[in-house]
Amino acid sequence: MSLLNTEVLPFKATAYHNGEFIDVTDESLKGQWSIFFFYPADFTFVCPTELGDLADNYEEFKKLGVEIYSVSTDTHFTHKAWHDSSETIGKLQYPMLADPTHVVSRNFDVLIEEDGVADRGTFVVDPDGKIQIIELNAGNIGRNAEELLRKVKAAQYVRANPNEVCPAKWEEGEETLAPSLDLVGKI
C-alpha cells in the first residue's frame, strides 16, 4: 500500500541540531512543510554528498517554509560526532534525526530489516502532516536537492491552486494545466 496522502504515523525521536539535542515528534510537523530525507548511515560515501547538497540549498527550502529532517538509524551522538568531524556535514543547519529504534524508518516503510539501516528515501510532508511526494533510490544512487526543490514548489502550487496540475518539468512561474474534458487527447 502506498504512503501517498497518508498521515505521518506517531513518533518521537532525538535530533542533533545547531549544537544541541532536540526532540522531534509527528506533532512538530503540523503547520509547516517538511522533508524526511532518509539515508543508510553516517560516515559513509554517497550520504555526505547528498546531505551536503541539501545544505547548499537549505536557504531556498527555508524560503518556502520547509524544514528538512535528515534521518538515519544512527544515534544522535553519532550525528554530532559526524557533524563535528566532517567539513561537509559540519555545514548542515537542518536537524539530523536519530532513529536507533527504527520506529521512524518503519513508519515510512524504508527500513532494510536485515541490515538495520534505512533505504535512500525522500518524503515531502504537507502542513497537515500528509505525505505528498515519495522518492526511493537504490543505495548506490544519490539524489538531487534542486530537483527536490522543484517538486516541493509544484506540491505547494497545487495545494494553493487545487483546480490546476503541474505538467512534466514544470518550473515555478510556468504554465500549468486545468484538467477538463477539453484537454483529453489534445496534449
Side-chain angles (χ1 to χ4, degrees):
M1 181 175 138
S2 174
L3 294 176
L4 276 175
N5 292 311
T6 64
E7 198 163 328
V8 172
L9 295 174
F11 72 90
K12 181 179 180 183
T14 302
Y16 179 70
H17 185 228
N18 291 332
E20 297 179 359
F21 296 133
I22 62 167
D23 289 331
V24 178
T25 70
D26 53 298
E27 290 300 314
S28 307
L29 313 178
K30 301 293 171 99
Q32 71 173 7
W33 287 86
S34 303
I35 293 172
F36 280 76
F37 199 82
F38 290 88
Y39 62 97
D42 291 359
F43 296 99
T44 55
F45 316 105
V46 176
C47 302
T49 66
E50 293 182 309
L51 298 179
D53 186 32
L54 277 177
D56 292 343
N57 289 276
Y58 186 56
E59 283 307 311
E60 291 302 312
F61 285 103
K62 291 304 285 181
K63 287 178 189 174
L64 296 173
V66 178
E67 184 57 87
I68 295 171
Y69 300 94
S70 63
V71 187
S72 78
T73 57
D74 296 292
T75 68
H76 52 289
F77 300 112
T78 305
H79 289 336
K80 181 190 183 314
W82 196 25
H83 189 276
D84 292 350
S85 64
S86 166
E87 184 178 326
T88 298
I89 301 307
K91 65 184 177 180
L92 272 58
Q93 295 179 352
Y94 50 81
M96 299 177 75
L97 201 69
D99 187 30
T101 63
H102 304 163
V103 169
V104 182
S105 298
R106 281 190 184 104
N107 284 357
F108 283 87
D109 199 24
V110 294
L111 183 66
I112 304 169
E113 292 283 347
E114 61 272 12
D115 296 334
V117 298
D119 271 325
R120 216 171 281 290
T122 309
F123 298 81
V124 176
V125 179
D126 71 19
D128 298 323
K130 292 188 176 180
I131 299 168
Q132 296 301 317
I133 296 172
I134 299 172
E135 177 185 9
L136 293 174
N137 289 24
N140 54 359
I141 301 171
R143 294 161 282 184
N144 182 324
E146 289 178 7
E147 172 59 8
L148 180 56
L149 192 58
R150 184 195 73 79
K151 289 178 184 181
V152 168
K153 289 177 182 179
Q156 290 181 338
Y157 184 89
V158 297
R159 180 179 169 95
N161 301 278
N163 295 321
E164 298 177 44
V165 296
C166 295
K169 297 183 183 181
W170 178 85
E171 294 285 343
E172 186 176 29
E174 291 182 354
E175 191 173 325
T176 58
L177 301 171
S180 71
L181 288 176
D182 296 338
L183 289 181
V184 175
K186 301 217 167 100
I187 295 177

